[in-house]
Amino acid sequence: MSHGYTAVQWNGFKWRYDLVVLAGLAVFITSFVLLTMGSRDPGQSLTLIQVLMRAFGAAAFLLLNVILAIGPLARLSPRIKPLLYNRRHMGVICFILALVHAGLSLLWYQGFADLNPIVALFASNTRYTSIAGFPFESLGFIALMLLAFLAVSSHDYWQAALGSTLWKRIHLGVYVAYGLLVMHIMLGVVQGEKDLIYPASVIGAFCLIAGLHGASAIIGRLRDRKVRASLDGWINIGAPQSIKENRARIIRTPSGDRIAVFRYDGKVSAVSNVCAHQNGPLGEGRVIDGCITCPWHGWQYRPEDGRSPPPFDEKISTYRVQIDGGMVYVHPDALPPGTPSPPAKISEAKS
Amino acid sequence: MSIALATALASALGFYLLLGMAYGLYFITFGAQSMVPAARGSGLGFRLMTLPGAVLLWPVLLARLIKGYPKPEAPRALRQAHVRIWMFLVPLVALGIMLSLMLRPAPPLNESLPKGLILEERGS
C-alpha cells in the first residue's frame, strides 16, 4: 500500500519465493546447455554463446508462461494464490533473462559489423514479406521493449505516479509481448531447426495459456451469481445467514459490475469486488481485524466506507445495502470510491 | 528496412533515452515526491530504482504533471479490454503459427534420410 516506499519490502516469503525461482532457472539453463551441447550431431555444432543465447531465451519464455498461467490458475484453485503474491519479481527476472538473450544475440550476430548493432539488426534482413526468412529479430526487439516498460513500472509507486487506469493498461501489454514472442520463436529458431521439440513446446505453451485464460473467464462467469434487479432497483442477495461469517458472496450486476457482499460482526456491507491495487478479487478474501483483506497482496479496506485504514489512502467503491424481510438487498449503483455506506445490521433486521 | 530508416529509428531511440536520462535525474531528486507525496523521505535505493522507469516513461510523467490524472475507469472496462486482447491475439497468433509451419523450409536431403545413410557428393 502506498504509505512510504522502499525499493523492495523484503520478508521471509519473498526471499524463499525468489530463491526457488532463481534456483529453478539455474537448473533449467544448465540442463538446456548440457542437453543441447550433448545431443548435437557432428557438423551441427553450436558455439557455447549460441547455446547460451537459446538457453536464456527459452528460460525467459518459460518464465513468461508461468507468469501468465498463475493468474487464471489462481482463479481456478485457491492453492495457487500464494504464487500471485510475488509475481512481479518473476516479471523483472523474465525481463533480465530476455535482456541477456538479446545482448548475446546482438553481440554474436551484429556485434562485429561496421554498423551500429541496432541499425544492423533492422537493416540486415528486409524480407518482411517472406515467412521462412522473416526478420523475426524485430518481433523479439519490440517484445523486449514492451517487457522493459512492464519491468521498470512494476513497483507500487508507479501505479500511484501513472494513475491506476494507465498503469493497468500498460500492464495489459504483457499479452501483446507474449504474442510477439510466440511468433519470434516460430519464425526464428523453428524455421531452422528440424527438431520438433521447439514448435511442439511453443504451440503447447500457447494453447495452454490461451486455454487457461479462456477457462478462467468462463468459470468466473459461471461462478458469479448473475442477478436481476427488482422493480425498485434493489437486488435480492438472499438471507444473511447464507453468507459465511467474515466472507463474501460475489454477485454480477446486470451492467456487468462485480460486487462483494460481506457478512461480518453481525453486519452486512457491499463493496466493489475489485482491489484498487492489482484488480484482485476482494470477494475471495476475508474480513481480518475488521478490514476486508485482498487475497492477492493483503491490501485492506474498511467494509463501511471502502477506505484503507490510516495511514493508507486507497479507496474502492461501496454500495448501499439493507435487510428487509430477512433478505439482504444491494443497490447496484456504485457509490464513488471511499463513500461511507452504513452496514445493514442483521440483529436489528430480525427484531 | 533500409539502412537510412534503421539509422533514423536508432537515433530516435537514442534521443528518447537521452531526454529520459535528463528527466530521470530531475525525477529522482525532486519529481518522484512531487508526483506522489508518500515518496517523500524515501531512501536512495528506492530513488535509484525509479530511475529506469523515469527514463522510459518520461513523456507520460510530464503529461501527468501538466494535465493531471484522468478519472479512474470502471473495473469492468479493464476486464473487457483483457477479453478483447485475447480475442484479437488468439486468431492472429494461431494464423501466424499455421503459416510458419506450412511455409517452413524442408530440411536438407541428408538430414531427412535415416542416420547411417549418407549421400556422397559427386565431384565435378
Side-chain angles (χ1 to χ4, degrees):
Chain A
M1 297 165 86
S2 68
H3 189 263
Y5 290 104
T6 53
V8 182
Q9 288 181 319
W10 288 109
N11 58 36
F13 183 78
K14 283 186 182 176
W15 277 112
R16 286 194 297 278
Y17 192 110
D18 285 5
L19 280 174
V20 169
V21 171
L22 291 173
L25 287 168
V27 170
F28 176 83
I29 290 171
T30 309
S31 309
F32 189 101
V33 171
L34 292 176
L35 284 171
T36 307
M37 296 292 274
S39 64
R40 291 267 133 181
D41 294 333
Q44 280 193 317
S45 60
L46 292 167
T47 63
L48 182 62
I49 295 279
Q50 285 173 301
V51 176
L52 279 173
M53 190 191 304
R54 287 189 182 188
F56 276 93
F61 185 68
L62 173 71
L63 196 56
L64 187 57
N65 279 285
V66 172
I67 291 166
L68 294 180
I70 288 174
L73 281 175
R75 282 203 67 119
L76 300 173
S77 167
R79 281 182 297 180
I80 305 294
K81 276 181 190 155
L83 295 180
L84 277 164
Y85 178 65
N86 210 24
R87 187 170 50 164
R88 68 181 68 187
H89 283 205
M90 277 207 265
V92 175
I93 294 170
C94 175
F95 167 68
I96 293 169
L97 291 168
L99 193 63
V100 173
H101 164 77
L104 289 172
S105 306
L106 268 186
L107 179 74
W108 183 255
Y109 292 112
Q110 318 292 351
F112 304 105
D114 291 336
L115 289 169
N116 174 324
I118 302 287
V119 175
L121 175 77
F122 284 106
S124 59
N125 181 358
T126 56
R127 287 179 288 171
Y128 282 93
T129 52
S130 154
I131 288 286
F134 191 88
F136 64 95
E137 301 90 343
S138 52
L139 300 179
F141 184 84
I142 299 167
L144 184 70
M145 291 296 103
L146 286 172
L147 291 179
F149 277 93
L150 304 187
V152 300
S153 64
S154 61
H155 194 281
D156 276 348
Y157 170 82
W158 289 109
Q159 193 173 353
L162 296 171
S164 190
T165 301
L166 178 65
W167 187 86
K168 286 167 185 170
R169 290 275 170 175
I170 287 175
H171 281 252
L172 283 178
V174 70
Y175 301 114
V176 180
Y178 182 66
L180 288 167
L181 285 177
V182 169
M183 291 318 300
H184 170 70
I185 301 168
M186 291 304 296
L187 296 173
V189 69
V190 167
Q191 298 300 307
E193 277 287 338
K194 62 175 182 173
D195 204 336
L196 284 178
I197 194 163
Y198 286 97
S201 308
V202 176
I203 294 168
F206 181 72
C207 290
L208 181 70
I209 297 299
L212 277 174
H213 279 262
S216 159
I218 292 166
I219 290 171
R221 285 182 79 86
L222 292 175
R223 268 189 200 159
D224 287 349
R225 195 175 141 181
K226 191 169 183 178
V227 289
R228 289 167 193 266
S230 59
L231 283 178
D232 55 357
W234 290 77
I235 295 170
N236 185 346
I237 305 297
Q241 290 75 18
S242 65
I243 307 170
K244 286 182 187 169
E245 180 69 11
N246 292 325
R247 296 279 186 173
R249 169 170 297 159
I250 302 168
I251 57 162
R252 186 156 54 91
T253 66
S255 64
D257 286 329
R258 287 187 169 105
I259 304 176
V261 186
F262 277 90
R263 176 187 158 201
Y264 60 100
D265 200 19
K267 294 177 277 188
V268 176
S269 285
V271 298
S272 164
N273 186 48
V274 182
C275 180
H277 181 217
Q278 289 189 10
N279 298 334
L282 287 174
E284 293 174 27
R286 285 184 296 158
V287 175
I288 299 172
D289 298 330
C291 285
I292 296 164
T293 306
C294 180
W296 282 11
H297 299 95
W299 282 37
Q300 290 192 306
Y301 307 90
R302 290 190 299 243
E304 301 87 0
D305 58 8
R307 289 173 181 265
S308 295
F312 305 106
D313 54 10
E314 281 73 23
K315 291 176 280 188
I316 53 171
S317 294
T318 53
Y319 292 84
R320 284 174 286 161
V321 61
Q322 64 176 351
I323 297 178
D324 187 22
M327 294 290 172
V328 179
Y329 290 88
V330 174
H331 200 281
D333 291 345
L335 299 170
T339 305
S341 175
K345 293 186 178 169
I346 297 171
S347 52
E348 279 181 14
K350 275 181 179 173
S351 62
Chain B
M1 189 180 293
S2 68
I3 290 181
L5 184 59
T7 306
L9 256 178
S11 303
L13 185 65
F15 188 61
Y16 179 90
L17 293 178
L18 198 68
L19 285 176
M21 204 60 212
Y23 181 79
L25 291 176
Y26 155 76
F27 190 82
I28 61 170
T29 43
F30 307 107
Q33 62 204 40
S34 71
M35 290 198 80
V36 183
R40 192 163 287 125
S42 52
L44 183 66
F46 167 75
R47 284 167 187 273
L48 288 176
M49 204 203 61
T50 60
L51 182 61
V55 170
L56 287 187
L57 296 163
W58 65 267
V60 184
L61 296 169
L62 270 179
R64 286 282 177 271
L65 273 178
I66 296 164
K67 290 185 183 172
Y69 290 86
K71 198 178 163 189
E73 65 184 353
R76 70 170 177 271
L78 192 80
R79 208 163 53 238
Q80 285 162 353
H82 184 261
V83 171
R84 275 198 298 272
I85 283 183
W86 275 108
M87 301 287 272
F88 174 74
L89 199 66
V90 167
L92 198 68
V93 173
L95 180 69
I97 287 174
M98 276 199 302
L99 286 174
S100 67
L101 289 177
M102 284 161 58
L103 301 174
R104 193 176 171 211
L109 187 57
N110 272 348
E111 289 182 16
S112 63
L113 292 173
K115 278 187 180 175
L117 183 61
I118 299 170
L119 291 182
E120 288 180 15
E121 284 185 24
R122 288 184 185 175
S124 56

